[in-house]
């Protein structure tokens, strides 16, 4: 069964510091994609970063990087230099052919 | 290029009423899907489509019907609404099979069933 697990319901980080949001996944497929989305209080889903299962290098997008450890089936999101505007829900997701599964999310709060 | 559009933005139904949530995309994407998001939870897949005339069930399909007569449109039908279907509904689309491009999400429809 395909499953995504986010074990941190809530996280706090001081402004300008880095934070890691955890994500583990379970699949028997060899080909899949891992995604992170941000959902601010306004409700829209904002794509942040993507990692393919065959990509050897960790993905980076500006202040976001994905720490991909395939053998451990983990895909943690690292946000560097946190900003107040980073306060939001963050969802990890796994994309398979024709399907996408989401974790329950982590609520990140950035403190000034 | 409007991306993924959803109508209505808000809807209140009474138990037993039927309605259709509309979703359209102008990116010529093959894949379209519907998710629901309950309070404090992640998105769960209801139905998806890999092209016109082809649909399949996701995690939570019961109580919902879909059809895909065109590439652009993917409506979601609630035949007899129940309070358990109170949720925020997101439509999404993405590109070619085998390339895991990010999905593009619509703005969501907030549905309340009384």
């Amino acid at each position: 069964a395909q499953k995504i697990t986010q074990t941190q319901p809530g996280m706090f980080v001081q402004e300008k510091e880095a934070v890691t949001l955890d994500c583990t996944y379970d699949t028997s497929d060899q080909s899949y994609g891992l995604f992170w989305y941000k959902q601010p209080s306004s409700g829209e889903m904002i794509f942040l970063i993507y990692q393919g299962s065959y990509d050897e290098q960790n993905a980076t997008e500006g202040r976001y990087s994905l720490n991909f450890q395939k053998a451990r089936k983990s895909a943690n999101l690292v946000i560097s230099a946190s900003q107040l505007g980073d306060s939001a829900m963050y969802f990890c997701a796994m994309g398979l052919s024709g399907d996408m599964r989401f974790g329950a999310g982590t609520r990140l709060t950035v403190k000034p | 290029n409007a991306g993924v559009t959803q109508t209505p933005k808000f809807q209140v139904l009474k138990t037993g009423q039927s309605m259709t949530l509309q979703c359209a995309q102008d990116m010529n994407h093959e894949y379209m899907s519907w998710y629901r998001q309950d309070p404090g939870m992640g998105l769960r897949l209801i139905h998806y489509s890999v092209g016109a005339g082809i649909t399949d069930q996701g995690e939570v399909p019961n109580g919902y019907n879909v059809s895909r007569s065109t590439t652009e449109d993917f409506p979601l039908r609630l035949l007899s609404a129940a309070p358990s279907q109170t949720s925020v509904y997101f439509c999404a689309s993405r590109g070619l099979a085998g390339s895991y491009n990010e999905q593009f999400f619509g703005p969501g429809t907030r549905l309340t069933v009384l």
Side-chain angles (χ1 to χ4, degrees):
Chain A
Q2 333 291 358
K3 189 176 179 182
I4 291 277
T5 303
Q6 294 180 254
T7 57
Q8 306 155 313
M11 289 282 286
F12 291 89
V13 64
Q14 206 67 37
E15 191 179 9
K16 298 181 185 177
E17 291 186 349
V19 63
T20 298
L21 306 184
D22 295 340
C23 173
T24 58
Y25 61 94
D26 187 19
T27 181
S28 55
D29 284 33
Q30 296 302 307
S31 183
Y32 50 88
L34 296 158
F35 302 78
W36 278 90
Y37 289 88
K38 173 183 178 181
Q39 187 177 46
S41 57
S42 52
E44 71 269 32
M45 297 292 288
I46 302 169
F47 166 76
L48 295 178
I49 196 167
Y50 157 77
Q51 177 88 38
S53 58
Y54 294 116
D55 295 340
E56 294 186 353
Q57 290 200 330
N58 287 341
T60 59
E61 291 285 350
R63 295 186 298 111
Y64 304 107
S65 60
L66 198 153
N67 184 359
F68 181 46
Q69 297 186 46
K70 193 170 183 177
R72 297 180 61 185
K73 292 189 174 179
S74 74
N76 299 339
L77 176 70
V78 181
I79 305 174
S80 62
S82 297
Q83 301 172 356
L84 295 178
D86 293 335
S87 293
M89 283 291 290
Y90 288 81
F91 292 98
C92 180
M94 177 169 59
L96 302 149
S97 182
D99 193 0
M100 194 174 230
R101 297 296 172 102
F102 285 77
T106 296
R107 181 171 297 281
L108 177 67
T109 303
V110 181
K111 296 180 179 179
Chain B
N1 190 335
V4 180
T5 58
Q6 290 183 239
T7 55
K9 290 187 178 179
F10 301 94
Q11 183 71 49
V12 179
L13 291 178
K14 293 181 179 178
T15 298
Q17 287 185 316
S18 63
M19 81 158 295
T20 299
L21 279 62
Q22 301 292 345
C23 175
Q25 53 93 9
D26 59 1
M27 297 171 281
N28 204 32
H29 283 165
E30 291 86 352
Y31 286 99
M32 294 186 74
S33 50
W34 277 101
Y35 296 87
R36 60 177 287 173
Q37 184 179 25
D38 299 321
M41 295 181 66
L43 279 68
R44 291 184 293 168
L45 183 65
I46 304 171
H47 285 285
Y48 66 96
S49 168
V50 300
I54 306 169
T55 63
D56 207 345
Q57 296 181 351
E59 268 187 277
V60 288
N62 293 340
Y64 307 95
N65 280 353
V66 292
S67 60
R68 183 101 179 266
S69 56
T70 67
T71 299
E72 294 78 20
D73 299 298
F74 191 44
L76 178 72
R77 280 181 286 277
L78 285 71
L79 297 179
S80 179
S84 60
Q85 293 178 304
T86 294
S87 191
V88 179
Y89 291 84
F90 289 97
C91 178
S93 74
R94 71 180 190 188
L96 297 172
S99 71
Y100 295 99
N101 300 321
E102 73 274 15
Q103 289 196 115
F104 293 86
F105 283 88
T109 294
R110 186 174 295 274
L111 176 67
T112 302
V113 183
L114 303 175

